[in-house]
Amino acid sequence: MAEPGSAADGSGAGGHVLGVDSGGSGLRIAVARAGAGGTVGPAATHVSREPVRTGPAGIDADHLLDQLLPAAEELGARTGAGGFTAVCVGAAGMGTLGDALRARLPAALAAAFGVRHLALAADAVTAYAGALGQRPGAVVAAGTGLVALGTDLAPDGGWRRADGWGHLLGDCGSGAWIGRAGLEAALRAHDGRPGGSRALLARAEAVFGPVTGLPGALYPRPDRPAVLASFAPEVARCAAADPVAADILAEAARHIADTAAAACPPAPGTALALTGGLLRLGDPLLAPLRTALAERLPGVRPVEAAGSPLDGALAIAAALAEDRLALPVDGKLLQITGHMTARPPRRAG
């Protein structure tokens, strides 16, 4: 790879940028060419289904780099990038568990690819940038976990964050939350306790085997949130005929609406976008969610998400490369390293 600042390093208009999206279902990496005020879409993409590990020290920087560096090298070769002007790494848990990434990634990426500008972002920030770009509003990122983020882009406004506390303490309404609630209902039916669902018990045993083995199968797993979330589609499939499953999704919808309300800036007509794999559950979740949002946030303007968190990571990297980042810079949610001087956020379209 080229030295930083050389003609081959991708600097300036038309240079290559790298976007990374690390979440509960794996790692997604893409390269795009930045220029003329934005990216033109991914030129090449790599997907790993192996989630980056989280340990006692937080997100495992070595495990992320072991996957990222060879994939980025291969993508750079495929796209003809001699280096990357800017990189944005978006990761689930970055805000609370990202100290090792903040300590290790700047030097590692500079050494490997001549990276001059690096953004380390919570996955909610890349979801926001992918869905709304650099304009005021709020985004709910709903997948294995769940978090909402909003901003009015005022210089002193910063980010409004709600939930995203992980499957043990929060992520209410998320895929892991729905899956766990569905498995709890299955176990209630197995025991003969109130609130159980024979339909969910049958699906749990079809997917996982005898439910008496669930604690031993789930509790030791480092990917427990993803395993729990894998049962959420079963809850959705049962909802039409099973009132317990339907009630789980209705409660999830109320939790999502509450989280969105906590993150939305107070201005009337605020744009709200929903993004994430949880939306693929379809009408069993989306129908009660539309009702819950209308009741909880009557003044909010729902909009379609323009892109994914990976698109958002590329957009942030391109904004860094062109010195036009308008999103609020924050020591935990969006940290900038490199030669760019962070400025107070300004309004942008």
Side-chain angles (χ1 to χ4, degrees):
M1 287 290 176
E3 292 297 317
S6 71
D9 80 342
S11 301
H16 289 89
V17 297
L18 185 75
V20 180
D21 174 38
S22 175
S25 59
L27 188 69
R28 290 156 291 277
I29 306 165
V31 172
R33 183 177 289 278
T39 65
V40 294
T45 304
H46 170 87
V47 177
S48 167
R49 298 300 180 190
E50 181 182 4
V52 175
R53 291 188 296 263
T54 298
I59 301 169
D60 188 330
D62 289 331
H63 190 215
L64 187 145
L65 287 167
D66 286 346
Q67 295 190 64
L68 171 59
L69 295 181
E73 183 82 33
E74 190 269 336
L75 291 174
R78 282 166 54 189
T79 57
F84 304 112
T85 306
V87 174
C88 175
V89 177
M94 179 72 79
T96 54
L97 301 170
D99 286 349
L101 298 187
R102 286 184 279 271
R104 292 285 312 283
L105 262 59
L109 291 172
F113 305 116
V115 174
R116 302 179 64 196
H117 312 298
L118 172 64
L120 298 175
D123 58 339
V125 172
T126 53
Y128 187 102
L132 295 181
Q134 300 198 86
R135 57 177 167 139
V139 170
V140 177
T144 298
L146 189 138
V147 63
L149 205 63
T151 180
D152 59 7
L153 289 183
D156 58 350
W159 293 106
R160 298 166 62 99
R161 176 185 182 272
D163 210 341
W165 300 118
H167 75 291
L168 293 178
L169 298 176
D171 288 356
C172 298
S174 68
W177 186 96
I178 292 169
R180 186 212 55 78
L183 291 173
E184 180 187 344
L187 290 168
R188 285 178 174 273
H190 173 270
D191 294 346
R193 290 180 288 147
S197 164
R198 302 298 302 181
L200 290 173
L201 175 59
R203 293 311 307 149
E205 293 191 324
V207 173
F208 297 108
V211 293
T212 53
L214 274 174
L218 279 175
Y219 292 163
R221 292 188 64 148
D223 60 344
R224 184 170 59 245
V227 177
L228 290 171
S230 72
F231 195 65
E234 301 296 339
V235 178
R237 291 186 189 103
C238 292
D242 180 54
V244 173
D247 285 347
I248 289 171
L249 294 177
E251 187 176 358
R254 290 190 291 270
H255 281 308
I256 296 169
D258 287 343
T259 301
C264 275
T270 293
L272 172 67
L274 305 177
T275 185
L278 193 65
L279 305 183
R280 291 196 290 269
L281 295 184
D283 273 349
L285 174 65
L286 297 182
L289 180 55
R290 285 189 289 266
T291 299
L293 288 172
E295 292 174 351
R296 191 73 174 79
L297 291 165
V300 162
R301 177 170 54 91
V303 300
E304 291 292 326
S308 70
L310 183 58
D311 295 321
L314 288 171
I316 291 171
L320 278 180
E322 299 163 16
D323 198 18
R324 55 177 181 80
L325 184 68
L327 298 176
V329 174
D330 179 287
K332 294 290 188 180
L333 295 176
L334 179 58
Q335 179 178 341
I336 306 301
T337 66
H339 300 293
M340 176 182 173
T341 301
R343 298 167 298 172
R346 60 185 182 276
R347 295 189 178 274

